[in-house]
């Protein structure tokens, strides 16, 4: 069954919304790639193997029959093992050690001055990938891949049946492997840093703790004021029955308006919305739809669309090299959260899109005005599920996970104790406790996949998203008027030029400084929340 819908809503959109080509008037790419051809042809081959493995994973989450799980785990493990072997091969090593100083990880100066800036960045990042991979034995990579594929499938069933005990042996195995991985990779202060660095180059527990402390110091009192406010928002309109095919049609319409190119992308259904990419010309997003939760499909489409725009906006000429890849998960998440929250939960956005939504759901939204709808989608309420959390409580969900996974990796907690610890921290941070593990410790896929160190990138993404958006408002004249007129492409182009097209040319911190003049900081995010919710809840 194909899950795409063919709505005619696109006719309602501004005319420039349908085509976007990545910026190409940059940098002597040909020169860089010619000079480095012996290396980049090998990297390209590795990227194609990784792309095939990603396609198998995408299929596993969307269309694969349940019985195919074990065979699929083996297929993916073989491809990942192959990609790893090719990356750590003697050929790649000899090329890199000729061009890169192993002590500093920086490109060595050449007698003829051959390296331009893209070449230097490409070599720095290729060395980073190579030296990390080189520390991991190939049989370990295959074992980790296989165990994670299996653990993920068991996790999905354990969550469905609300049986933590079913998942526990797999979690023990995956955790042991990740602790082993941290030992191979090496670290200065904590084994957790070794895992975190894979997702967010340059971040450590020491850099993140002060950020989280500042967030906690202002978010917890803000949440208290909101819950004690005399303003009570009624969001029951989001739980009326909404036809699922029409929800998908509207999600698709918003994706088109954002500039997500369906000639180079797809929208499908999966248990957990995600984005995956095999090439800038084939970037796929998924969503999920509940008849009685209007916001779920809507905001997951916008969120994944933000990820999808980043991947479609990468420079295809650099495909296969680090310069054709996204810079970090935190920056990736900033793109999804910027679209989901700064744009998708703003008054300006709904000034244009609400009348369209009202037209599609005429019966349900007949008596609901713009302002009531805006309040409903921004209602703050401590809740059990991270992905459904409002902007204010979201980072409290992340803090809890950040603390738990540090304790797991550093060996202070065992998987057996998780449900109890989870519930205790939920009470402490959000004041509520799940009745079922499916809505508690089993809710996220990450640990089954071995993705320890991933969660903090969500909070970094939130901080970056507001920092970038504030900068966009400074640089794009009348940005919010454009958005209110349904003209989203102006923002999409700005993000493409400032962030997407650069790949890993700069480190995440360098990129943030180039775009906003500053490293990541909590102040813009906190000021944004205090203003938004102060006004909404009359604080
Ligand atoms: Zn995301």
């Amino acid at each position: 069954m194909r899950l795409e819908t063919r709505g005619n809503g696109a006719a309602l959109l501004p005319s420039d919304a349908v085509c976007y080509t990545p910026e190409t008037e940059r940098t002597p790419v040909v020169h860089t790639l010619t000079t480095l051809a012996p290396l980049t042809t090998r990297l390209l081959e590795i990227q194609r193997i990784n792309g095939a493995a990603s396609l198998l994973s995408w299929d596993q989450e969307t269309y694969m029959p349940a019985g195919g799980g074990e065979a699929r785990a083996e297929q993916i493990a073989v491809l990942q093992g192959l990609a790893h072997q090719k990356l750590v091969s003697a050929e790649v090593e000899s090329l890199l050690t000729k061009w890169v100083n192993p002590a500093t990880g920086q490109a060595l100066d050449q007698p003829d001055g051959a390296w331009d800036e893209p070449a230097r960045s490409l070599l720095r990042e290729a060395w980073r990938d190579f030296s990390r991979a080189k520390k991991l034995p190939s049989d370990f990579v295959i074992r980790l891949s296989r165990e994670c594929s299996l653990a993920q499938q068991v996790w999905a069933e354990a969550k469905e049946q609300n049986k933590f005990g079913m998942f526990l042996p797999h979690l023990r195995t995956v955790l042991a492997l990740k602790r082993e991985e941290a030992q191979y990779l090496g670290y200065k202060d904590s084994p957790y840093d070794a895992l975190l660095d894979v997702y967010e180059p340059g971040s450590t527990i020491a850099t993140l703790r002060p950020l989280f402390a500042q967030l906690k110091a202002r978010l917890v009192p803000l949440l208290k004021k909101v819950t004690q406010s005399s303003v009570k928002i009624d969001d029951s309109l989001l739980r009326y029955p909404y036809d699922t095919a029409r929800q998908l049609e509207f999600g698709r319409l918003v994706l088109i308006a954002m500039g997500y190119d369906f000639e180079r992308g797809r929208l499908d259904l999966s248990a957990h919305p995600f984005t995956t990419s095999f090439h800038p010309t084939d970037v796929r997003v998924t969503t999920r739809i509940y008849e009685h939760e209007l916001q779920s499909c809507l905001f997951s489409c916008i969120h994944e669309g933000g990820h999808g725009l980043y991947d479609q906006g990468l420079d295809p000429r650099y495909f296969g090299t680090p310069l054709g890849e996204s810079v970090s998960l935190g920056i990736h998440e900033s793109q999804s959260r910027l679209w989901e929250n700064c744009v998708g939960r703003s008054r300006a956005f709904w000034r244009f899109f609400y009348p369209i939504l009202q037209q599609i759901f005429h019966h349900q939204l007949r008596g609901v005005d713009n302002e009531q709808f805006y309040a409903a989608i921004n209602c703050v309420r401590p809740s059990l599920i991270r992905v459904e959390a409002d902007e204010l409580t979201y980072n409290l969900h992340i803090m809890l996970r950040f603390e738990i996974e540090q304790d797991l990796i550093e060996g202070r907690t065992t998987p057996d104790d998780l449900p109890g610890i989870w519930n205790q921290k939920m009470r402490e941070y959000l004041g509520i406790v799940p009745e079922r593990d499916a809505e508690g410790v089993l809710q996220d896929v990450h640990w089954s996949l071995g993705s320890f160190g991933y969660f903090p990138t969500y909070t970094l993404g939130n901080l970056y998203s507001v920092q970038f958006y504030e900068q966009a408002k400074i640089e794009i004249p009348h940005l919010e008027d454009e958005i209110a007129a349904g003209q989203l492409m102006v923002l999409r182009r700005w993000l493409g030029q400032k962030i997407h097209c650069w790949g890993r040319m700069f480190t995440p911190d360098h990129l943030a400084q180039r775009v906003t003049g500053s490293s990541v900081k909590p102040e813009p995010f906190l000021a944004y929340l205090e203003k938004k919710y102060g006004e909404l809840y009359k604080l």
Side-chain angles (χ1 to χ4, degrees), residues 392-408:
L392 206 166
T393 56
Y394 187 94
N395 292 295
L396 301 173
H397 289 268
I398 300 300
M399 271 177 226
L400 164 159
R401 287 156 175 79
F402 176 51
E403 290 173 5
I404 291 177
E405 60 180 21
Q406 277 177 62
D407 286 345
L408 285 169

Side-chain angles (χ1 to χ4, degrees), residues 20 22-23 26 310 313-315 318 323-324 495-505:
Y20 172 82
E23 306 302 318
R26 283 193 311 113
Y310 190 173
L314 289 164
D315 191 333
Y318 281 122
L323 303 188
L495 293 167
Q497 288 162 1
K498 298 283 173 178
I499 297 166
H500 304 169
C501 73
W502 295 103
R504 291 164 65 186
M505 185 85 79

